[in-house]
Structures are given as structure tokens and as C-alpha cells.
Amino acid sequence: MPLLETAFPVLLIWGVVGYLLGSIPFGLLLTRLMGLGNLREIGSGNIGTTNVLRTGSKAAAAATLLLDGGKGAAAVLLARFLAGEDAAQLAGLTAFLGHCFPIWLRFQGGKGVATFLGLMLALAWPVGIACCLTWLIAAYLSRISSMGALVAAAISPLWAALLGHSDVIILTVLLTLLVIARHKANISRLISGTEPRIGEK
């Protein structure tokens, strides 16, 4: 992460703003608004894109993907414009934490993949694009969304180094560890061969 260039009280504010933006549960809100049922009672009960897709609505899943990614990007871009690069990275991190642990849902949120991709696109777009392509390729080859997410996150520090964005390497390492932690159950199912494939309800 960059050297601190923003006063601590301002950083604290952007940390909170990032968290609140990230904690908006778009998947849950969209499925209710579209009459698709209670997302908590569908599939894995997760509030993210993959589980929204299990409702059978590709439109709801696409909107969830864009909005969950958008809130991560918004946190980064607002903080960068109004404060600085250190605030942008902090807001991105806390937006990710907000999605995973939203106060409105008793800290039981999603796994943060779309938010991770969105904030990376805003922080360093070449790295973000590389992560998105990595996810698409890994998910396409394996037909497993979680595999795409884990591979994209794990390779993100390497992409940051190769593409000349060393200032975000520490953040990508932190986010990778969080993505792995949030996918602990998925990793167990991947090892046992029971992880659902894309499109399965």
C-alpha cells in the first residue's frame, strides 16, 4: 500500500464510507424486488452473483454482478478523488469487508468476488482486467465459479507486479487471503469433487 498521505481522521472516514458502500446487499434486494424469493433460502443462501443465478434469472445475476462490482469501484474512485491513493486503497479494502460482513445482515454476507474485481478495476485497471480475464478463463475451463475466483485472487499479486503496479501488491495479498478464507467451504468441496458447477441449481 502507498505511504500514508492522508490524515488519520480522514482515512477513518473513508474506511467507514467504503464499508457502508460494500455492505449494500444488492443480490438480496434485487431478488426481493423482482419477486424471485428469499435468496437466503435458495441454493447456498449466499447473497452473491452465483447464488442469484440459481434463481433462474440471468438478468438478476448480471445486475448483481455489476452492482456488487460497482460498489467496490465507487468506494475506490470516490476516496481517490476526494482524498488520496491511500484512502482509495483503504476504502476498497473496507468495501470488500462490508460485502463479506454487512452489519445489516448480522455480518453474514457474500464472498466478495465481484466486489474484489470491481475495486481492482478502479484501483489499477490493467490489473483488474487481468483478474477478470483470469476468472473467466479458469471458470470456463473448470465450469466452477469458485475455482475462477480463487485462481483470479491468487494470481492478482503477480499481475500487479508484472503490470507495474507494485503499489497495490500488499492490498492484493490481503484480499487474496480474505477470498481464500471466505471460500473455505468451497475449497473443501473442490477437494472432495462435490463443488456445484455453473448453472446448477
Side-chain angles (χ1 to χ4, degrees):
M1 297 180 77
L3 295 174
L4 294 182
E5 56 188 31
T6 305
F8 180 75
V10 177
L11 285 176
L12 183 61
I13 290 171
W14 281 109
V16 173
V17 170
Y19 175 83
L20 292 176
L21 281 171
S23 68
I24 302 172
F26 284 116
L28 195 64
L29 295 173
L30 285 171
T31 50
R32 287 182 178 176
L33 287 172
M34 297 173 71
L36 299 173
N38 184 356
L39 194 57
R40 289 301 199 184
E41 299 174 355
I42 297 171
S44 64
N46 193 272
I47 65 171
T49 302
T50 301
N51 203 46
V52 173
L53 187 60
R54 294 190 179 106
T55 66
S57 174
K58 293 181 179 179
T64 301
L65 176 65
L66 292 174
L67 290 169
D68 280 349
K71 66 188 182 184
V76 168
L77 295 175
L78 284 171
R80 175 181 286 156
F81 179 72
L82 296 173
E85 195 63 28
D86 52 350
Q89 291 204 27
L90 178 61
L93 175 61
T94 57
F96 182 90
L97 292 172
H99 178 81
C100 296
F101 310 103
I103 190 171
W104 329 110
L105 301 178
R106 299 181 180 179
F107 305 104
Q108 300 297 314
K111 296 179 181 178
V113 180
T115 305
F116 164 75
L117 294 175
L119 72 89
M120 286 310 305
L121 284 167
L123 273 175
W125 66 264
V127 180
I129 289 176
C131 289
C132 289
L133 291 175
T134 301
W135 182 91
L136 285 171
I137 293 169
Y140 176 79
L141 292 176
S142 65
R143 305 302 300 169
I144 299 174
S145 178
S146 61
M147 179 66 79
L150 289 164
V151 173
I155 298 180
S156 62
L158 178 60
W159 283 130
L162 291 176
L163 296 171
H165 288 275
S166 58
D167 57 319
V168 301
I169 289 178
I170 293 176
L171 179 60
T172 58
V173 171
L174 290 174
L175 291 170
T176 296
L177 294 174
L178 288 167
V179 169
I180 291 172
R182 295 298 292 168
H183 284 78
K184 183 178 179 181
N186 303 83
I187 293 171
S188 296
R189 290 193 295 269
L190 285 168
I191 293 172
S192 65
T194 58
E195 179 73 340
R197 294 184 179 273
I198 295 172
E200 291 181 356
K201 292 188 177 182

